mmCIF file of all heavy atoms in Angstrom:
data_model
loop_
_atom_site.group_PDB
_atom_site.id
_atom_site.type_symbol
_atom_site.label_atom_id
_atom_site.label_comp_id
_atom_site.label_asym_id
_atom_site.label_seq_id
_atom_site.Cartn_x
_atom_site.Cartn_y
_atom_site.Cartn_z
ATOM 1 N N PRO W 1 62.472 130.052 116.894
ATOM 2 C CA PRO W 1 63.332 129.294 115.974
ATOM 3 C C PRO W 1 62.794 127.891 115.722
ATOM 4 O O PRO W 1 62.232 127.259 116.614
ATOM 5 C CB PRO W 1 64.671 129.237 116.724
ATOM 6 C CG PRO W 1 64.623 130.340 117.722
ATOM 7 C CD PRO W 1 63.188 130.487 118.097
ATOM 8 N N VAL W 2 62.974 127.434 114.510
ATOM 9 C CA VAL W 2 62.566 126.088 114.122
ATOM 10 C C VAL W 2 63.670 125.108 114.506
ATOM 11 O O VAL W 2 64.866 125.409 114.369
ATOM 12 C CB VAL W 2 62.302 126.028 112.598
ATOM 13 C CG1 VAL W 2 62.057 124.604 112.139
ATOM 14 C CG2 VAL W 2 61.120 126.915 112.247
ATOM 15 N N LEU W 3 63.282 123.948 115.001
ATOM 16 C CA LEU W 3 64.258 122.917 115.346
ATOM 17 C C LEU W 3 65.024 122.507 114.088
ATOM 18 O O LEU W 3 64.435 122.172 113.070
ATOM 19 C CB LEU W 3 63.556 121.700 115.955
ATOM 20 C CG LEU W 3 64.464 120.533 116.378
ATOM 21 C CD1 LEU W 3 65.377 120.959 117.529
ATOM 22 C CD2 LEU W 3 63.634 119.320 116.775
ATOM 23 N N GLU W 4 66.335 122.547 114.193
ATOM 24 C CA GLU W 4 67.170 122.261 113.043
ATOM 25 C C GLU W 4 67.029 120.805 112.594
ATOM 26 O O GLU W 4 66.646 119.932 113.359
ATOM 27 C CB GLU W 4 68.646 122.555 113.358
ATOM 28 C CG GLU W 4 69.235 121.746 114.492
ATOM 29 C CD GLU W 4 68.976 122.331 115.874
ATOM 30 O OE1 GLU W 4 68.208 123.328 115.974
ATOM 31 O OE2 GLU W 4 69.521 121.785 116.852
ATOM 32 N N GLU W 5 67.340 120.593 111.320
ATOM 33 C CA GLU W 5 67.306 119.241 110.780
ATOM 34 C C GLU W 5 68.352 118.380 111.476
ATOM 35 O O GLU W 5 69.417 118.856 111.841
ATOM 36 C CB GLU W 5 67.575 119.263 109.273
ATOM 37 C CG GLU W 5 66.538 120.009 108.449
ATOM 38 C CD GLU W 5 65.178 119.334 108.472
ATOM 39 O OE1 GLU W 5 65.133 118.101 108.663
ATOM 40 O OE2 GLU W 5 64.171 120.031 108.281
ATOM 41 N N GLY W 6 68.027 117.097 111.654
ATOM 42 C CA GLY W 6 68.959 116.195 112.318
ATOM 43 C C GLY W 6 68.233 115.006 112.903
ATOM 44 O O GLY W 6 67.006 114.848 112.739
ATOM 45 N N ARG W 7 68.968 114.160 113.594
ATOM 46 C CA ARG W 7 68.415 112.939 114.147
ATOM 47 C C ARG W 7 67.286 113.214 115.127
ATOM 48 O O ARG W 7 66.250 112.525 115.111
ATOM 49 C CB ARG W 7 69.534 112.147 114.847
ATOM 50 C CG ARG W 7 69.092 110.857 115.530
ATOM 51 C CD ARG W 7 68.512 109.872 114.544
ATOM 52 N NE ARG W 7 68.178 108.607 115.182
ATOM 53 C CZ ARG W 7 67.388 107.681 114.648
ATOM 54 N NH1 ARG W 7 66.852 107.893 113.447
ATOM 55 N NH2 ARG W 7 67.124 106.562 115.266
ATOM 56 N N GLU W 8 67.431 114.228 115.984
ATOM 57 C CA GLU W 8 66.410 114.519 116.993
ATOM 58 C C GLU W 8 65.096 114.924 116.337
ATOM 59 O O GLU W 8 64.019 114.471 116.743
ATOM 60 C CB GLU W 8 66.891 115.625 117.947
ATOM 61 C CG GLU W 8 68.007 115.207 118.882
ATOM 62 C CD GLU W 8 69.368 115.203 118.207
ATOM 63 O OE1 GLU W 8 69.460 115.718 117.066
ATOM 64 O OE2 GLU W 8 70.331 114.687 118.804
ATOM 65 N N ARG W 9 65.184 115.778 115.321
ATOM 66 C CA ARG W 9 63.954 116.188 114.627
ATOM 67 C C ARG W 9 63.311 115.000 113.924
ATOM 68 O O ARG W 9 62.077 114.854 113.941
ATOM 69 C CB ARG W 9 64.257 117.299 113.628
ATOM 70 C CG ARG W 9 62.991 117.812 112.931
ATOM 71 C CD ARG W 9 63.255 118.920 111.947
ATOM 72 N NE ARG W 9 62.002 119.303 111.302
ATOM 73 C CZ ARG W 9 61.347 120.435 111.503
ATOM 74 N NH1 ARG W 9 61.827 121.330 112.358
ATOM 75 N NH2 ARG W 9 60.214 120.696 110.887
ATOM 76 N N GLU W 10 64.110 114.163 113.308
ATOM 77 C CA GLU W 10 63.572 112.986 112.627
ATOM 78 C C GLU W 10 62.817 112.088 113.603
ATOM 79 O O GLU W 10 61.724 111.583 113.293
ATOM 80 C CB GLU W 10 64.712 112.208 111.968
ATOM 81 C CG GLU W 10 65.323 112.899 110.764
ATOM 82 C CD GLU W 10 66.518 112.152 110.222
ATOM 83 O OE1 GLU W 10 66.834 111.066 110.782
ATOM 84 O OE2 GLU W 10 67.138 112.628 109.256
ATOM 85 N N LEU W 11 63.381 111.889 114.787
ATOM 86 C CA LEU W 11 62.737 111.035 115.790
ATOM 87 C C LEU W 11 61.423 111.645 116.270
ATOM 88 O O LEU W 11 60.420 110.945 116.432
ATOM 89 C CB LEU W 11 63.679 110.816 116.978
ATOM 90 C CG LEU W 11 64.870 109.884 116.742
ATOM 91 C CD1 LEU W 11 65.830 109.950 117.923
ATOM 92 C CD2 LEU W 11 64.388 108.455 116.521
ATOM 93 N N ILE W 12 61.428 112.946 116.498
ATOM 94 C CA ILE W 12 60.214 113.619 116.974
ATOM 95 C C ILE W 12 59.122 113.551 115.916
ATOM 96 O O ILE W 12 57.964 113.220 116.213
ATOM 97 C CB ILE W 12 60.530 115.076 117.356
ATOM 98 C CG1 ILE W 12 61.366 115.102 118.645
ATOM 99 C CG2 ILE W 12 59.240 115.879 117.546
ATOM 100 C CD1 ILE W 12 61.899 116.471 119.004
ATOM 101 N N GLU W 13 59.458 113.844 114.664
ATOM 102 C CA GLU W 13 58.460 113.803 113.593
ATOM 103 C C GLU W 13 57.943 112.383 113.381
ATOM 104 O O GLU W 13 56.761 112.179 113.093
ATOM 105 C CB GLU W 13 59.072 114.347 112.304
ATOM 106 C CG GLU W 13 59.328 115.843 112.341
ATOM 107 C CD GLU W 13 59.944 116.374 111.069
ATOM 108 O OE1 GLU W 13 60.647 115.609 110.385
ATOM 109 O OE2 GLU W 13 59.721 117.559 110.750
ATOM 110 N N GLU W 14 58.807 111.405 113.577
ATOM 111 C CA GLU W 14 58.420 110.011 113.389
ATOM 112 C C GLU W 14 57.417 109.555 114.437
ATOM 113 O O GLU W 14 56.526 108.748 114.161
ATOM 114 C CB GLU W 14 59.666 109.129 113.453
ATOM 115 C CG GLU W 14 59.416 107.647 113.213
ATOM 116 C CD GLU W 14 60.689 106.830 113.295
ATOM 117 O OE1 GLU W 14 61.781 107.418 113.136
ATOM 118 O OE2 GLU W 14 60.601 105.606 113.525
ATOM 119 N N HIS W 15 57.539 110.090 115.674
ATOM 120 C CA HIS W 15 56.690 109.636 116.780
ATOM 121 C C HIS W 15 55.634 110.654 117.195
ATOM 122 O O HIS W 15 54.871 110.403 118.126
ATOM 123 C CB HIS W 15 57.564 109.300 118.002
ATOM 124 C CG HIS W 15 58.471 108.119 117.793
ATOM 125 N ND1 HIS W 15 59.699 108.234 117.175
ATOM 126 C CD2 HIS W 15 58.311 106.806 118.095
ATOM 127 C CE1 HIS W 15 60.270 107.054 117.118
ATOM 128 N NE2 HIS W 15 59.456 106.166 117.665
ATOM 129 N N ALA W 16 55.569 111.813 116.512
ATOM 130 C CA ALA W 16 54.643 112.878 116.908
ATOM 131 C C ALA W 16 53.189 112.446 116.847
ATOM 132 O O ALA W 16 52.348 112.921 117.623
ATOM 133 C CB ALA W 16 54.861 114.114 116.035
ATOM 134 N N ALA W 17 52.856 111.527 115.923
ATOM 135 C CA ALA W 17 51.474 111.085 115.762
ATOM 136 C C ALA W 17 50.953 110.346 116.990
ATOM 137 O O ALA W 17 49.742 110.189 117.155
ATOM 138 C CB ALA W 17 51.354 110.192 114.534
ATOM 139 N N GLN W 18 51.842 109.899 117.882
ATOM 140 C CA GLN W 18 51.408 109.234 119.112
ATOM 141 C C GLN W 18 50.666 110.190 120.036
ATOM 142 O O GLN W 18 49.942 109.773 120.931
ATOM 143 C CB GLN W 18 52.619 108.660 119.856
ATOM 144 C CG GLN W 18 53.361 107.578 119.128
ATOM 145 C CD GLN W 18 54.569 107.084 119.920
ATOM 146 O OE1 GLN W 18 54.764 107.468 121.082
ATOM 147 N NE2 GLN W 18 55.369 106.238 119.304
ATOM 148 N N ASP W 19 50.880 111.501 119.814
ATOM 149 C CA ASP W 19 50.261 112.538 120.639
ATOM 150 C C ASP W 19 50.635 112.362 122.111
ATOM 151 O O ASP W 19 49.800 112.516 123.002
ATOM 152 C CB ASP W 19 48.740 112.529 120.468
ATOM 153 C CG ASP W 19 48.124 113.870 120.845
ATOM 154 O OD1 ASP W 19 48.782 114.901 120.626
ATOM 155 O OD2 ASP W 19 47.000 113.888 121.375
ATOM 156 N N LYS W 20 51.887 112.052 122.351
ATOM 157 C CA LYS W 20 52.414 111.893 123.714
ATOM 158 C C LYS W 20 53.701 112.688 123.858
ATOM 159 O O LYS W 20 54.415 112.927 122.877
ATOM 160 C CB LYS W 20 52.688 110.415 124.008
ATOM 161 C CG LYS W 20 51.452 109.535 124.028
ATOM 162 C CD LYS W 20 51.820 108.088 124.301
ATOM 163 C CE LYS W 20 50.579 107.197 124.310
ATOM 164 N NZ LYS W 20 50.929 105.771 124.535
ATOM 165 N N ILE W 21 54.000 113.100 125.093
ATOM 166 C CA ILE W 21 55.276 113.748 125.354
ATOM 167 C C ILE W 21 56.396 112.753 125.076
ATOM 168 O O ILE W 21 56.347 111.607 125.509
ATOM 169 C CB ILE W 21 55.344 114.267 126.798
ATOM 170 C CG1 ILE W 21 54.362 115.438 126.986
ATOM 171 C CG2 ILE W 21 56.768 114.708 127.153
ATOM 172 C CD1 ILE W 21 54.336 116.011 128.390
ATOM 173 N N ILE W 22 57.390 113.221 124.335
ATOM 174 C CA ILE W 22 58.510 112.359 123.960
ATOM 175 C C ILE W 22 59.815 112.974 124.448
ATOM 176 O O ILE W 22 60.088 114.155 124.186
ATOM 177 C CB ILE W 22 58.574 112.165 122.436
ATOM 178 C CG1 ILE W 22 57.291 111.506 121.923
ATOM 179 C CG2 ILE W 22 59.795 111.321 122.041
ATOM 180 C CD1 ILE W 22 57.175 111.512 120.416
ATOM 181 N N LEU W 23 60.607 112.197 125.164
ATOM 182 C CA LEU W 23 61.948 112.599 125.575
ATOM 183 C C LEU W 23 62.965 111.938 124.659
ATOM 184 O O LEU W 23 62.820 110.762 124.333
ATOM 185 C CB LEU W 23 62.238 112.198 127.026
ATOM 186 C CG LEU W 23 61.651 113.080 128.144
ATOM 187 C CD1 LEU W 23 60.135 113.057 128.153
ATOM 188 C CD2 LEU W 23 62.199 112.662 129.501
ATOM 189 N N ILE W 24 63.948 112.694 124.222
ATOM 190 C CA ILE W 24 65.041 112.131 123.438
ATOM 191 C C ILE W 24 66.233 111.945 124.365
ATOM 192 O O ILE W 24 66.769 112.913 124.910
ATOM 193 C CB ILE W 24 65.427 113.029 122.249
ATOM 194 C CG1 ILE W 24 64.201 113.318 121.385
ATOM 195 C CG2 ILE W 24 66.535 112.374 121.424
ATOM 196 C CD1 ILE W 24 63.578 112.114 120.740
ATOM 197 N N LYS W 25 66.634 110.687 124.566
ATOM 198 C CA LYS W 25 67.759 110.363 125.445
ATOM 199 C C LYS W 25 68.800 109.574 124.658
ATOM 200 O O LYS W 25 68.501 108.491 124.145
ATOM 201 C CB LYS W 25 67.279 109.536 126.642
ATOM 202 C CG LYS W 25 66.261 110.241 127.523
ATOM 203 C CD LYS W 25 65.984 109.439 128.795
ATOM 204 C CE LYS W 25 64.995 110.150 129.696
ATOM 205 N NZ LYS W 25 64.854 109.505 131.025
ATOM 206 N N GLU W 26 69.971 110.138 124.551
ATOM 207 C CA GLU W 26 71.057 109.496 123.796
ATOM 208 C C GLU W 26 70.600 109.075 122.396
ATOM 209 O O GLU W 26 70.935 107.999 121.915
ATOM 210 C CB GLU W 26 71.594 108.273 124.558
ATOM 211 C CG GLU W 26 72.396 108.623 125.800
ATOM 212 C CD GLU W 26 73.104 107.412 126.367
ATOM 213 O OE1 GLU W 26 72.423 106.388 126.603
ATOM 214 O OE2 GLU W 26 74.315 107.470 126.568
ATOM 215 N N GLY W 27 69.816 109.950 121.761
ATOM 216 C CA GLY W 27 69.376 109.665 120.407
ATOM 217 C C GLY W 27 68.272 108.644 120.298
ATOM 218 O O GLY W 27 67.999 108.136 119.206
ATOM 219 N N ARG W 28 67.603 108.352 121.416
ATOM 220 C CA ARG W 28 66.495 107.387 121.410
ATOM 221 C C ARG W 28 65.248 108.029 122.006
ATOM 222 O O ARG W 28 65.324 108.750 123.004
ATOM 223 C CB ARG W 28 66.866 106.130 122.205
ATOM 224 C CG ARG W 28 67.968 105.306 121.571
ATOM 225 C CD ARG W 28 68.082 103.938 122.236
ATOM 226 N NE ARG W 28 68.404 104.053 123.640
ATOM 227 C CZ ARG W 28 69.660 104.094 124.115
ATOM 228 N NH1 ARG W 28 70.685 104.039 123.290
ATOM 229 N NH2 ARG W 28 69.865 104.185 125.412
ATOM 230 N N PRO W 29 64.050 107.750 121.431
ATOM 231 C CA PRO W 29 62.813 108.348 121.949
ATOM 232 C C PRO W 29 62.257 107.557 123.133
ATOM 233 O O PRO W 29 62.260 106.327 123.127
ATOM 234 C CB PRO W 29 61.866 108.258 120.750
ATOM 235 C CG PRO W 29 62.325 107.048 120.006
ATOM 236 C CD PRO W 29 63.823 106.979 120.196
ATOM 237 N N VAL W 30 61.760 108.292 124.122
ATOM 238 C CA VAL W 30 61.085 107.697 125.276
ATOM 239 C C VAL W 30 59.734 108.387 125.413
ATOM 240 O O VAL W 30 59.668 109.595 125.659
ATOM 241 C CB VAL W 30 61.900 107.857 126.577
ATOM 242 C CG1 VAL W 30 61.130 107.278 127.761
ATOM 243 C CG2 VAL W 30 63.264 107.202 126.442
ATOM 244 N N SER W 31 58.638 107.650 125.245
ATOM 245 C CA SER W 31 57.291 108.234 125.296
ATOM 246 C C SER W 31 56.720 108.172 126.706
ATOM 247 O O SER W 31 56.865 107.165 127.406
ATOM 248 C CB SER W 31 56.361 107.489 124.331
ATOM 249 O OG SER W 31 56.812 107.600 123.010
ATOM 250 N N LEU W 32 56.066 109.264 127.113
ATOM 251 C CA LEU W 32 55.348 109.304 128.383
ATOM 252 C C LEU W 32 53.854 109.165 128.100
ATOM 253 O O LEU W 32 53.393 109.423 126.991
ATOM 254 C CB LEU W 32 55.634 110.610 129.123
ATOM 255 C CG LEU W 32 57.112 110.964 129.366
ATOM 256 C CD1 LEU W 32 57.212 112.255 130.173
ATOM 257 C CD2 LEU W 32 57.841 109.836 130.066
ATOM 258 N N GLU W 33 53.101 108.804 129.096
ATOM 259 C CA GLU W 33 51.663 108.575 128.904
ATOM 260 C C GLU W 33 50.832 109.851 129.110
ATOM 261 O O GLU W 33 49.732 109.805 129.640
ATOM 262 C CB GLU W 33 51.180 107.473 129.857
ATOM 263 C CG GLU W 33 51.722 106.098 129.516
ATOM 264 C CD GLU W 33 51.374 105.676 128.095
ATOM 265 O OE1 GLU W 33 50.221 105.868 127.687
ATOM 266 O OE2 GLU W 33 52.270 105.159 127.400
ATOM 267 N N VAL W 34 51.367 110.990 128.712
ATOM 268 C CA VAL W 34 50.643 112.262 128.771
ATOM 269 C C VAL W 34 50.904 113.006 127.468
ATOM 270 O O VAL W 34 51.947 112.843 126.832
ATOM 271 C CB VAL W 34 51.074 113.128 129.975
ATOM 272 C CG1 VAL W 34 50.592 112.522 131.282
ATOM 273 C CG2 VAL W 34 52.592 113.299 130.012
ATOM 274 N N SER W 35 49.957 113.833 127.049
ATOM 275 C CA SER W 35 50.089 114.547 125.779
ATOM 276 C C SER W 35 50.288 116.041 125.951
ATOM 277 O O SER W 35 50.709 116.729 125.018
ATOM 278 C CB SER W 35 48.847 114.308 124.913
ATOM 279 O OG SER W 35 47.697 114.820 125.554
ATOM 280 N N THR W 36 49.975 116.563 127.128
ATOM 281 C CA THR W 36 50.058 117.995 127.363
ATOM 282 C C THR W 36 50.991 118.296 128.525
ATOM 283 O O THR W 36 51.184 117.458 129.409
ATOM 284 C CB THR W 36 48.664 118.583 127.654
ATOM 285 O OG1 THR W 36 48.792 119.957 127.999
ATOM 286 C CG2 THR W 36 47.996 117.855 128.802
ATOM 287 N N GLY W 37 51.559 119.500 128.487
ATOM 288 C CA GLY W 37 52.422 119.908 129.588
ATOM 289 C C GLY W 37 51.639 120.369 130.803
ATOM 290 O O GLY W 37 52.211 120.590 131.875
ATOM 291 N N LEU W 38 50.326 120.498 130.659
ATOM 292 C CA LEU W 38 49.484 120.990 131.752
ATOM 293 C C LEU W 38 49.596 120.074 132.971
ATOM 294 O O LEU W 38 49.183 118.919 132.932
ATOM 295 C CB LEU W 38 48.029 121.074 131.291
ATOM 296 C CG LEU W 38 47.026 121.714 132.247
ATOM 297 C CD1 LEU W 38 47.374 123.174 132.465
ATOM 298 C CD2 LEU W 38 45.613 121.590 131.696
ATOM 299 N N GLY W 39 50.188 120.575 134.032
ATOM 300 C CA GLY W 39 50.328 119.809 135.272
ATOM 301 C C GLY W 39 51.359 118.707 135.225
ATOM 302 O O GLY W 39 51.422 117.870 136.130
ATOM 303 N N ALA W 40 52.188 118.686 134.174
ATOM 304 C CA ALA W 40 53.150 117.587 134.013
ATOM 305 C C ALA W 40 54.545 117.934 134.506
ATOM 306 O O ALA W 40 55.487 117.179 134.282
ATOM 307 C CB ALA W 40 53.217 117.174 132.542
#
C-alpha cells in the first residue's frame, strides 16, 4: 500500500532528499545520521 496523503507524507517527501532515516514525532520530523536500516 502507498502511504496516504497527509501531513506525514508531506514531511517525508520534503526531507527525503537528505537520504537519512526520518522519524515523525507529533507531526515533526527527526533525522538520524544513518540512511539504511542495515544494522540500525
